[in-house]
Amino acid sequence: MEGFCWTKRDNVRVRFDRSPCAHLVGAAGSGMRSLADVLVQCGWRVQGSDGCSDDAALLAAAGVRWFHGHDARWISPEVDVLAYSDAVPTDNPERRRAAQLGIPERSYFQWLGRLSAAADTVAVAGTHGKSTTTAMTAHVLIEAGKDPAVCCGATPLGKTSGGRAGWLASPLSGEAGQGGGRLLVVEACEYRANFLNLRPRCAAILGIEPDHFDCYPSLAELENAFRRFAASVPADGFLLVRRDCPSTRRATEGFSCRTESFGLCPDADWSACDLADRRGCFGFEIRRAGRPFCRVRLRTPGRHNVLNALAAAALASRGGATPEQIAAGLSGFTGLHRRLEVLGTWRGATWVDDYAHHPTEVSAALAAVRRMFPGRRVWCVFQPHQASRTARLLDELAASLQNADRVFVTEIFRAREGSPHPGEVAASDLARRASELGVHVLPGHREEEILKALETGLAADDVLVTLGAGRRSGAWEAERRGRTEAEEKNCCAACDFAATDRFRGQTCVEEKSS
């Protein structure tokens, strides 16, 4: 049987008469889609289910048999192992049926842990920037011929998922890949301490800020989780840390493995200088230990991506990429879906979409949009993510919206939280707090109210920014699909910022930094 396979000691049935079969519950999630692609490329038969069918066509095109909704009927004795995402409860009918049939169950991160144990794993953790840094690192290593396996929680532009089997798809996957290594580049999520399933040889902590309050009520508890993650790096491994983050420094003190730092401060081991901003995208020199390493011109907008690129450079260097390969790889990386993604035009205005849902991310996204489209009126539609996060970060979220000219706050995307409780924070609380800070918040929280207001309020030279980690509803997608052919043809002219070539027709504004 070709490719990666579970063994008997993993308590997963091994079949020698056919390719093994995996059933993925919650298959439409970005992480699960990456796992599906890895398994398919390794020769597994993969089927999956989800209540959301937005990505069914992508999964089917990748070779995944798709089931809409959740039903015990989807599980047959032919299934060898069931994988599930964090959003899937234990009473899910497919999980119950698998238990009845004696089919082993593994969470998404348990699967990544199994892959990690068989590889030289590069794990990217931190409150912000995990997906982008993971994808940047993977792109550099792929372009450098290292043939890494990749599991990323976001999808690179032009791809169907963030998954890649790489050397794991070799007929003898226990051997080194085409690039001479056995690298796995993986996004390491701190939620529920999931990253402790991984066995990294090389790890990065991009920064730590209060978040995931449903499992980390205090910053000390969050820092302790990251400390346990850092402790999983072996003594002969490598740990990369954000130089100017006090929480990261506390969480990583005293370990015996090689530790290096990155940051915009000149005393970091990996630093950036001579920053030049061209409509939101930065060029800069990377320095290692104070000496010139390479020069990079990013195609992904936002000053925060300078930090992500520094981390990716350090990790790719550790993975065997040369300075020249790192410069070429980072300069050629075009970005991820839902990360300052220019979707085109909507009602004549330029539409930018971003996953930002934490105050730091919202501030960074809006600052980047201001650089991308200077002098233009910015409308922001912000979807708060979880009531617990909104309540704990209410003031910070309100302040982060100040860089937009017009703001809508949608109803809270509750994710795993269930139905609202009496007295719980609501969208109106955030809207009121932002208004008190001088933010021009427009009335209405329901999507039909917002869409109607945008229909009459947006002007052709405006920028519409949609922010939030939840799924856009069918109404938004219908509006996007309903753009006229003329709007599509004029998209680049309206945006002046095409996703395929972010520097087309732009002038350079220098911003120097020591």
Side-chain angles (χ1 to χ4, degrees), residues 338-411:
R338 301 219 61 202
R339 302 303 189 274
L340 291 171
E341 180 183 5
V342 180
L343 297 178
T345 59
W346 190 80
R347 304 292 182 187
T350 303
W351 184 2
V352 181
D353 186 48
D354 195 89
Y355 195 74
H357 55 287
H358 185 283
T360 299
E361 297 162 356
V362 173
S363 295
L366 290 175
V369 168
R370 287 294 187 189
R371 289 180 180 273
M372 292 161 68
F373 306 104
R376 294 170 66 174
R377 186 170 63 165
V378 174
W379 296 66
C380 174
V381 179
F382 175 62
Q383 182 187 55
H385 192 265
Q386 295 188 300
S388 58
R389 179 184 285 112
T390 306
R392 290 288 294 271
L393 299 175
L394 191 68
D395 291 337
E396 293 88 346
L397 284 169
S400 72
L401 297 168
Q402 290 178 299
N403 209 4
D405 297 300
R406 302 286 187 274
V407 172
F408 288 101
V409 178
T410 77
E411 293 170 333

Side-chain angles (χ1 to χ4, degrees), residues 50-333:
D50 208 308
C52 175
S53 58
D54 291 351
D55 299 307
L58 294 177
L59 287 162
V64 177
R65 185 184 181 193
W66 174 259
F67 297 105
H68 178 65
H70 297 292
D71 197 302
R73 292 176 298 167
W74 310 153
I75 307 299
S76 74
E78 290 291 295
V79 174
D80 293 298
V81 60
L82 179 145
Y84 59 91
S85 74
D86 261 344
V88 177
T90 56
D91 63 353
N92 173 275
E94 292 153 65
R95 292 190 63 184
R96 290 203 309 266
R97 180 59 175 160
Q100 292 169 358
L101 294 175
I103 297 171
E105 299 178 49
R106 298 288 183 269
S107 72
Y108 168 70
F109 274 95
Q110 287 172 332
W111 278 80
L112 293 192
R114 175 66 182 89
L115 292 171
S116 174
D120 294 328
T121 298
V122 179
V124 182
T127 306
H128 315 296
K130 293 185 292 294
S131 297
T132 299
T133 303
T134 300
M136 280 181 168
T137 304
H139 180 79
V140 172
L141 292 171
I142 291 166
E143 292 299 303
K146 303 301 179 182
D147 198 28
V150 184
C151 279
C152 180
T155 303
L157 296 176
K159 305 291 185 182
T160 58
S161 84
R164 180 184 192 270
W167 64 273
L168 283 170
S170 165
L172 296 173
S173 59
E175 296 184 354
Q178 294 177 0
R182 295 159 28 115
L183 292 170
L184 167 66
V185 183
V186 62
E187 181 175 341
C189 181
E190 72 273 20
Y191 182 66
R192 293 179 179 170
N194 279 321
F195 52 16
L196 298 184
N197 285 285
L198 303 174
R199 295 293 176 267
R201 184 154 201 83
C202 174
I205 297 179
L206 307 179
I208 303 171
E209 283 194 74
D211 199 10
H212 298 301
F213 300 102
D214 51 343
C215 45
Y216 301 113
S218 69
L219 179 59
E221 290 169 282
L222 180 61
E223 289 179 2
N224 182 58
F226 274 96
R227 185 164 186 81
R228 293 168 65 197
F229 170 72
S232 67
V233 179
D236 60 347
F238 176 76
L239 182 61
L240 180 71
V241 300
R242 173 83 176 264
R243 176 71 178 85
D244 59 349
C245 176
S247 287
T248 300
R249 290 203 303 272
R250 286 193 295 269
T252 56
E253 287 176 344
F255 291 112
S256 58
C257 65
R258 180 179 179 86
T259 301
E260 293 183 4
S261 63
F262 75 98
L264 298 181
C265 41
D267 59 340
D269 296 310
W270 294 83
S271 61
C273 68
D274 297 329
L275 273 67
D277 170 24
R278 182 184 292 177
R279 286 287 182 92
C281 294
F282 284 83
F284 54 95
E285 181 181 76
I286 296 178
R287 291 187 176 180
R288 184 177 187 182
R291 293 186 293 274
F293 182 79
C294 68
R295 184 153 192 95
V296 171
R297 166 61 69 182
L298 295 180
R299 298 171 70 183
T300 48
R303 189 182 177 91
H304 57 286
N305 274 321
V306 176
L307 286 167
N308 294 335
L310 284 173
L315 296 173
S317 176
R318 187 72 178 181
T322 66
E324 294 76 18
Q325 290 169 334
I326 290 169
L330 289 176
S331 298
F333 178 71

Side-chain angles (χ1 to χ4, degrees), residues 453-473:
L454 289 172
E455 217 172 286
T456 57
L458 279 174
D461 198 44
D462 289 344
V463 180
L464 170 63
V465 185
T466 48
L467 302 179
R471 286 185 177 274
R472 286 189 302 269
S473 73

